[in-house]
């Protein structure tokens, strides 16, 4: 965990340094405005405070190597949360925490371990975005055919011992940056005045970790999952190339719809830690997609809306014939407003 956070911090510092150099270069050479003012209006000299409600669905699907109709699915117990975001200049930060209405000490402990955080560093041409999230406690569901009732009788419906975390990093370039604003679509630091779209290309990295006190597959289902029934921990690392398209549709000046689809092909490293034998490792290419739909209002001072983001990752399994798919669905309700900065921030103001 510490190494992941350290790596993320190093990457952020590198990008901040890069953006600062670009800002100084722009100020020195006095280049003309780098965006079309008939398409984009910027509010980057104001703070944007956003209040957020979210529902985050996360699914781990483990498929029987011998029958694709037999699938074990894990999903988090705690879906809903509330949070706050702060956006200014090229810096965006957002934190969402699950809210527990259950007074049970065991449930309170689980809720404390469920949260998500997003960090973005965005220029007009280049967009860096990252999110980290973790879950403690998962629901269990098994779907299958031709199963004897003894095997599936009294299966646990939830497991509090399963812990997962994931880190996603992406760095993209927009080719139509003079007319299209990513900030207007995602964080409302900008406002899109006319409809515009852009081709997107870049890099992405994904790290995913899941572990449990006992095997991920319940003992009663061992016969359906071969050696995957011995897995107590799984680690996945990916780095890939993205290329896709995004478009902002403007309706009556202040209402907008954003659509984007960005597929990626990546090199993947995946390791299974087994309870009774040597670890298994799989390497190779895999596919992933990022799709986003946003509908909202973006006025002079106030903004708000609804966003749906889907991340889907195919997993190459170390067990021949087996596989898994990770799916994240983020539902985000937001409302925010802009106001003048309360104090100076020398690094961000450059």
């Amino acid at each position: 965990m510490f190494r992941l956070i350290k790596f993320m911090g190093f990457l952020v510092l590198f990008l901040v340094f890069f953006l600062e150099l670009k800002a100084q270069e722009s100020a020195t050479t006095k280049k003309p405005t780098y965006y079309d003012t008939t398409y984009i209006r910027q509010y980057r000299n104001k703070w944007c405070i956003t209040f957020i409600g979210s529902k985050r669905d996360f699914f781990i699907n483990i498929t029987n190597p011998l029958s694709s109709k037999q699938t074990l699915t894990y999903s988090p117990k705690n879906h809903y949360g509330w949070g706050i975001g702060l956006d200014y200049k090229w810096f965006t930060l957002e934190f969402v925490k699950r809210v527990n209405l259950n007074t049970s000490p065991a449930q309170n402990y689980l809720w404390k371990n469920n949260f998500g955080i997003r960090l973005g560093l965005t220029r007009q041409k280049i967009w860096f975005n990252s999110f980290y999230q973790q879950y403690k406690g998962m629901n269990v569901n098994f779907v299958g055919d031709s199963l004897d009732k003894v095997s599936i009788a009294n299966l646990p419906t939830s497991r509090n011992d399963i812990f997962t975390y994931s880190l996603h990093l992406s760095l993209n370039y927009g080719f139509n940056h003079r007319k299209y604003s990513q900030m207007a679509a995602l964080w409302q630091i900008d406002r899109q005045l006319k409809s515009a779209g852009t081709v997107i290309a870049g890099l992405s990295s994904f790290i995913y970790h899941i572990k449990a006190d006992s095997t991920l597959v319940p003992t009663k289902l061992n016969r359906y999952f071969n050696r995957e029934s011995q897995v107590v921990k799984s680690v996945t690392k990916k780095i890939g190339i993205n290329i896709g398209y995004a478009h902002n549709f403007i309706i009556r000046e202040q209402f907008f719809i954003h659509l984007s689809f960005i597929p990626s092909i990546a090199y993947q490293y995946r390791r299974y830690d087994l309870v009774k034998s040597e670890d298994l490792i799989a390497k190779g290419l895999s596919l992933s997609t990022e799709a986003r739909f946003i509908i909202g209002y973006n006025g002079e001072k106030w903004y708000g809306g609804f966003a749906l983001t889907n991340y889907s990752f195919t997993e190459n399994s170390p067990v021949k014939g087996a596989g898994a798919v990770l799916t994240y669905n983020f539902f985000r309700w937001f409302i925010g407003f802009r106001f003048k900065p309360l104090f100076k921030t020398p690094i961000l103001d450059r």
Side-chain angles (χ1 to χ4, degrees):
M1 174 73 72
F2 176 75
R3 285 184 295 179
L4 292 179
I5 296 175
K6 185 177 180 181
F7 170 75
M8 186 174 178
F10 173 79
L11 183 57
V12 168
L13 289 175
F14 172 79
L15 289 170
V16 169
F17 178 72
F18 170 75
L19 293 172
E20 285 298 301
L21 289 179
K22 295 296 291 183
Q24 293 175 12
E25 177 186 350
S26 177
T28 303
T29 58
K30 296 183 179 181
K31 294 181 179 179
T33 304
Y34 51 85
Y35 63 93
D36 190 331
T37 56
T38 63
Y39 278 80
I40 300 171
R41 182 176 298 169
Q42 291 193 343
Y43 300 91
R44 302 195 183 197
N45 60 338
K46 295 184 178 182
W47 284 0
C48 297
I49 299 293
T50 308
F51 299 96
I52 303 153
S54 72
K55 180 177 184 292
R56 298 195 172 197
D57 291 329
F58 169 48
F59 302 97
I60 309 169
N61 297 315
I62 304 174
T63 303
N64 182 350
L66 303 179
S67 174
S68 60
K69 295 181 179 180
Q70 296 172 356
T71 302
L72 179 66
T73 300
Y74 287 105
S75 61
K77 291 184 174 183
N78 311 319
H79 297 277
Y80 295 94
W82 300 93
I84 190 169
L86 173 63
D87 309 309
Y88 179 61
K89 295 292 186 180
W90 43 266
F91 178 82
T92 62
L93 180 66
E94 183 175 297
F95 180 81
V96 174
K97 185 74 173 65
R98 308 301 170 266
V99 179
N100 189 13
L101 301 179
N102 191 318
T103 58
S104 165
Q107 291 297 320
N108 283 330
Y109 170 74
L110 293 177
W111 282 86
K112 290 178 181 178
N113 286 275
N114 288 265
F115 69 88
I117 187 169
R118 175 191 61 80
L119 173 66
L121 305 173
T122 308
R123 288 290 188 180
Q124 194 66 29
K125 301 179 182 180
I126 299 176
W127 320 320
F128 169 75
N129 188 42
S130 64
F131 73 80
Y132 171 86
Q133 65 178 23
Q134 66 179 44
Y135 294 102
K136 177 74 173 181
M138 305 287 279
N139 291 322
V140 184
N141 183 41
F142 182 73
V143 177
D145 59 349
S146 303
L147 299 177
D148 60 277
K149 295 182 179 180
V150 176
S151 295
I152 62 175
N154 300 320
L155 280 176
T157 58
S158 65
R159 291 185 57 176
N160 294 341
D161 64 307
I162 295 181
F163 175 79
T164 76
Y165 69 80
S166 56
L167 172 65
H168 182 261
L169 309 171
S170 63
L171 182 65
N172 289 314
Y173 179 88
F175 288 87
N176 189 22
H177 50 78
R178 286 188 56 82
K179 295 183 178 180
Y180 170 85
S181 172
Q182 182 79 343
M183 295 293 266
L186 302 187
W187 323 125
Q188 288 73 55
I189 288 181
D190 294 353
R191 180 178 164 201
Q192 189 85 44
L193 302 178
K194 295 182 180 181
S195 299
T198 184
V199 173
I200 297 170
L203 302 173
S204 64
S205 178
F206 175 74
I207 300 174
Y208 169 72
H209 180 114
I210 179 172
K211 66 177 181 178
D213 294 340
S214 59
T215 57
L216 295 175
V217 176
T219 303
K220 289 185 177 181
L221 300 179
N222 281 358
R223 72 184 69 179
Y224 301 108
F225 291 93
N226 199 3
R227 297 191 71 187
E228 287 200 335
S229 62
Q230 302 178 30
V231 177
V232 293
K233 177 180 176 182
S234 175
V235 177
T236 302
K237 301 177 182 179
K238 295 186 177 186
I239 183 167
I241 300 174
N242 318 319
I243 185 166
Y245 184 80
H247 200 102
N248 292 335
F249 299 90
I250 305 305
I251 305 171
R252 295 186 177 180
E253 296 184 359
Q254 296 180 330
F255 294 90
F256 70 95
I257 294 176
H258 168 82
L259 296 173
S260 63
F261 181 73
I262 307 175
S264 173
I265 183 169
Y267 175 79
Q268 173 194 287
Y269 168 90
R270 191 180 190 196
R271 189 186 78 244
Y272 278 167
D273 292 0
L274 305 182
V275 67
K276 293 182 178 180
S277 58
E278 295 182 359
D279 299 342
L280 300 177
I281 295 175
K283 300 177 182 179
L285 297 179
S286 65
L287 300 176
S288 64
T289 59
E290 175 184 340
R292 184 177 282 110
F293 168 80
I294 305 173
I295 183 170
Y297 169 85
N298 194 359
E300 289 293 328
K301 183 176 181 180
W302 292 88
Y303 55 87
F306 167 82
L308 168 62
T309 304
N310 171 272
Y311 294 92
S312 182
F313 305 89
T314 60
E315 299 287 298
N316 297 319
S317 174
V319 179
K320 185 177 180 180
V325 176
L326 306 181
T327 303
Y328 296 84
N329 290 323
F330 298 159
F331 301 88
R332 181 177 180 266
W333 300 267
F334 60 96
I335 183 170
F337 62 96
R338 309 180 184 95
F339 59 95
K340 293 182 179 180
L342 301 178
F343 52 84
K344 294 183 178 181
T345 52
I347 294 178
L348 298 180
D349 288 337
R350 290 181 181 179

